[in-house]
């Protein structure tokens, strides 16, 4: 997991042939169409199934039963799933490029652990009980840990291996603290149990409004880093030869990943494997060029997250499985497969 792997090829060495660029663009449009269909399914599927016609009327015409179900209960959940999925996918792609490790995910640098530790602190020591309070504590915790990992990793002298080691150490310490507080405080355990699973069920318009500015800034920053991160992936010496500012690029990449992961985790708790699986799969058909990986990850990660949320609602009707549980069930075997395939390829 901490191997500083060389890039598969020089992503900037030559422009892709027109036919390949056209295929990538067509694939991106197809991905957007799939995302629209999954979003509609997210609105239509629940304890009470709705037809596409009922969804349409609930959104634009009906202020009665269908409107209440669609607008009040499911629309915010779907919108938050879109935003959080895109954030996790982008953050995963950025961190995989930053650490030159295609199996890295947002949890590698301790950001999820920072958010979780901050929330349990808010519950146990400050008596915070509302989701609105969780959001700000979680975001501040993620930001603080991101800064700490950057400092421990060497700040301006940071390298991929140092950042990964610092993130692993900080994560272990914070999860130990989190477990200790939850064991000693039954009230904290009761309130944290639902949040730490990772769920979209508590989505509200207020939550979306609070995290949207952070997600927008993080998304724009991550997309703007595509070219510099392409150079970073080729190794320090090559990147310097190409004129890349390694310290600036790494600092901005850390900032983008921290903002995206912090806001996403604050909104719905830690959700695992989305930021690992999607960028890794995308890389297999786009190649190593982040100018394509990042847009694809932005579109396809919400497909996975919303799809997992829909599966959770269907599998346990009339109750539901939280989306964090479903992504873990899906992601565990996929991660083992990716590790085994990568190990086989290196032999």
């Amino acid at each position: 997991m901490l191997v500083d792997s060389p890039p598969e090829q020089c992503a900037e060495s030559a422009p892709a042939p027109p036919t390949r660029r056209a295929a990538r663009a067509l694939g991106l449009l197809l991905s957007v169409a799939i995302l629209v269909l999954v979003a509609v399914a997210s609105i239509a599927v629940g304890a009470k199934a709705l037809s596409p016609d009922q969804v349409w009327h609930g959104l634009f015409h009906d202020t009665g039963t269908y409107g209440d179900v669609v607008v009040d209960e499911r629309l915010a959940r779907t919108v938050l799933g879109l935003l959080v999925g895109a954030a996790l996918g982008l953050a995963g792609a950025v961190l995989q490029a930053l650490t030159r490790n295609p199996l890295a995910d947002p949890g590698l640098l301790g950001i999820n652990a920072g958010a979780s530790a901050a929330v349990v602190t808010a519950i146990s020591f400050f008596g915070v009980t509302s989701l609105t309070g969780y959001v700000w504590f979680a975001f501040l915790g993620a930001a603080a840990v991101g800064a700490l990992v950057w400092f421990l990793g060497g700040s301006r002298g940071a390298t991929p291996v140092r950042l990964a080691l610092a993130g692993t150490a900080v994560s272990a310490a914070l999860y130990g603290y989190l477990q200790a507080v939850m064991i000693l405080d039954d009230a904290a355990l009761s309130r944290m149990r639902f949040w730490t699973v990772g769920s979209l069920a508590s989505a509200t318009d207020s939550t979306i409004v609070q995290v949207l500015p952070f997600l927008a800034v993080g998304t724009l920053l991550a997309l703007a880093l595509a070219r510099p991160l392409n150079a970073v992936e080729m190794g320090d010496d090559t990147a310097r030869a190409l004129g890349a500012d390694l310290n600036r690029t790494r600092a901005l990449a850390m900032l983008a990943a921290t903002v995206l992961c912090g806001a996403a985790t604050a909104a719905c708790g830690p959700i695992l494997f989305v930021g690992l699986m999607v960028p890794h799969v995308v890389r297999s058909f786009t190649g190593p060029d982040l100018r394509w990986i990042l847009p694809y990850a932005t579109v396809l990660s919400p497909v996975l997250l919303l799809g997992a949320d829909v599966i959770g609602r269907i599998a346990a009707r009339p109750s539901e499985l939280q989306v964090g549980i479903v992504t873990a069930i899906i992601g565990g075997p996929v991660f083992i497969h990716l590790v085994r395939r990568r190990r086989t390829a290196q032999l």
Side-chain angles (χ1 to χ4, degrees), residues 55-339:
V55 171
W56 177 266
H57 279 279
L59 286 172
F60 300 107
H61 302 291
D62 197 339
T63 58
T65 302
Y66 297 146
D68 291 342
V69 171
V70 171
V71 177
D72 295 342
E73 298 180 16
R74 299 185 188 172
L75 186 58
R77 181 173 185 157
T78 300
V79 171
L80 186 63
L82 289 170
L83 295 174
V84 168
L88 293 175
L90 266 178
V94 167
L95 290 176
Q96 287 175 12
L98 177 65
T99 61
R100 297 203 284 271
N101 181 355
L103 296 180
D105 76 337
L108 182 66
L109 298 186
I111 297 170
N112 287 346
S116 299
V119 171
V120 78
T121 299
I123 291 172
S124 185
F125 296 104
F126 298 103
V128 177
T129 58
S130 69
L131 184 62
T132 301
Y134 295 170
V135 166
W136 291 105
F137 273 93
F139 184 77
L140 289 173
V145 168
L148 177 62
V149 169
W150 176 248
F151 174 77
L152 293 176
S155 58
R156 294 183 64 83
T159 64
V161 172
R162 285 181 180 178
L163 290 173
L165 288 172
T168 301
V170 171
S171 293
L174 288 177
Y175 278 124
Y177 162 77
L178 188 151
Q179 294 299 323
V181 173
M182 291 175 66
I183 289 172
L184 296 173
D185 188 339
D186 291 338
L189 173 61
S190 178
R191 287 194 290 266
M192 277 291 293
R193 188 165 44 198
F194 182 78
W195 187 85
T196 54
V197 169
S199 173
L200 297 174
S202 299
T204 63
D205 294 341
S206 175
T207 304
I208 294 171
V209 170
Q210 289 181 68
V211 300
L212 183 58
F214 298 106
L215 293 176
V217 170
T219 298
L220 292 175
L221 181 57
L223 293 174
L225 289 171
R227 284 181 179 274
L229 283 173
N230 273 340
V232 169
E233 275 204 301
M234 290 185 279
D236 290 3
D237 293 338
T238 303
R240 290 191 186 97
L242 292 172
D245 187 334
L246 288 175
N247 292 327
R248 179 174 177 272
T249 299
R250 284 173 177 154
L252 291 176
M254 276 288 297
L255 177 62
T258 299
V259 171
L260 289 169
C261 293
T265 304
C268 53
I271 296 177
L272 304 178
F273 291 112
V274 174
L276 183 153
M277 285 190 291
V278 176
H280 189 88
V281 171
V282 165
R283 186 181 293 265
S284 69
F285 59 81
T286 64
D289 191 347
L290 284 153
R291 292 172 299 178
W292 287 102
I293 292 174
L294 295 180
Y296 266 98
T298 304
V299 175
L300 290 178
S301 295
V303 171
L304 173 60
L305 187 63
L306 289 177
D309 192 40
V310 170
I311 291 172
R313 290 184 238 173
I314 294 173
R317 277 181 175 169
S319 183
E320 67 177 69
L321 289 176
Q322 305 307 318
V323 66
I325 297 174
V326 180
T327 57
I329 292 172
I330 297 172
V334 171
F335 180 71
I336 293 171
H337 170 71
L338 293 176
V339 171

